[in-house]
Amino acid sequence: MRPGDITAAGAGLLSCLTCGLLSQPASHEEDANACPRCGRRLHVRKPHSLLRSWTFLVAAMVLYLPANLLPIMDTESLIMGSHSDTIMSGIVLLWKSGSWGIAIIVFIASIMVPMLKMLAMLVILVAVHQGVSTHCHDLARLYRILEIIGRWSMLDVFVVAILVTLVQLQLLAAITPAKGALAFGAVVVLTMLSTMSFDPRLIWDSAEHARRRPHG
Ligand SMILES: [Zn+2]
């Protein structure tokens, strides 16, 4: 698809987000149409998509700080006494104990991937706001990648669970999740909600607006 190509919305058709059926709306009122096949309410675009997507993203970005700065687990052991670990100090602990591979996996899954997901969503939202006329395909592809990763989102949390287990095995200690773990879980969920709230068709709408806008 290219900017300027005819869209379903442009042709007066609505598509169903649940079953994918494209249909002619019976009423001209925005909220009055339901999918003739599955009955879901039809909208031209996901309602308040940008606002919701921005809200979830900003909340995720704010919580990313406590997720990394607050201890993610409290450790209680006979040898080392009690202490707290952040995600990063847990990774350092794994690295120092010789589990380099696992330290790298945990670093990628729990620090890099969540950050890259938020950055990618930020790039898409800023581009749509500013009106993209080029790179629509790249943005759409980026969003698709985010969607695919989103299905595996709980992997981030799972990796932290592995981290906790490993540290527990190595120290023979009792470990309880701390506040940072809650913030981290919230970051993962909020980023996922931000991605889900976004309507990728807005990329093409934005391109269409930019194309129609007179130059200069
Ligand atoms: Zn439907």
Side-chain angles (χ1 to χ4, degrees):
M1 160 145 193
R2 253 173 240 103
D5 285 357
I6 192 153
T7 59
L13 298 169
L14 294 178
S15 67
C16 172
L17 290 174
T18 304
C19 72
L21 182 72
L22 200 60
S23 61
Q24 190 89 47
S27 160
H28 288 295
E29 276 171 57
E30 161 79 357
D31 286 341
N33 295 298
C35 172
R37 182 153 63 189
C38 71
R40 176 170 175 161
R41 189 174 290 177
L42 294 175
H43 301 280
V44 181
R45 295 293 178 256
K46 285 184 192 172
H48 312 298
S49 168
L50 280 181
L51 179 69
R52 287 169 62 175
S53 204
W54 268 118
T55 310
F56 287 129
L57 181 66
V58 169
M61 289 171 108
V62 168
L63 282 172
Y64 187 71
L65 286 176
N68 281 285
L69 297 177
L70 288 180
I72 201 153
M73 54 193 172
D74 294 323
T75 316
E76 195 89 47
S77 83
L78 287 174
I79 317 152
M80 296 176 67
S82 63
H83 73 282
S84 300
D85 274 303
T86 60
I87 296 180
M88 201 59 215
S89 73
I91 293 170
V92 170
L93 199 66
L94 280 173
W95 185 270
K96 280 187 182 158
S97 67
S99 314
W100 301 311
I102 292 160
I104 290 168
I105 291 173
V106 174
F107 177 76
I108 291 172
S110 63
I111 291 187
M112 296 242 320
V113 170
M115 193 171 67
L116 288 176
K117 278 198 291 197
M118 289 188 294
L119 274 179
M121 206 55 225
L122 188 67
V123 167
I124 293 172
L125 286 174
V126 169
V128 167
H129 259 280
Q130 295 199 327
V132 275
S133 47
T134 50
H135 302 298
C136 291
H137 286 276
D138 296 330
L139 288 173
R141 199 170 299 131
L142 189 62
Y143 181 75
R144 236 171 356 243
I145 294 171
L146 271 181
E147 257 190 331
I148 293 167
I149 297 176
R151 289 185 204 140
W152 296 89
S153 258
M154 283 305 151
L155 192 69
D156 313 359
V157 176
F158 181 65
V159 166
V160 173
I162 294 179
L163 173 71
V164 170
T165 317
L166 284 169
V167 174
Q168 194 153 15
L169 285 175
Q170 276 164 0
L171 298 175
L172 292 170
I175 290 175
T176 43
K179 284 184 191 124
L182 203 65
F184 183 79
V187 169
V188 174
V189 172
L190 286 167
T191 311
M192 201 158 64
L193 287 174
S194 172
T195 313
M196 282 163 58
S197 308
F198 182 72
D199 193 326
R201 293 171 296 189
L202 292 173
I203 296 172
W204 307 104
D205 289 353
S206 162
E208 187 60 26
H209 283 303
R211 202 178 63 89
R212 286 190 184 162
R213 205 183 300 145
H215 292 285

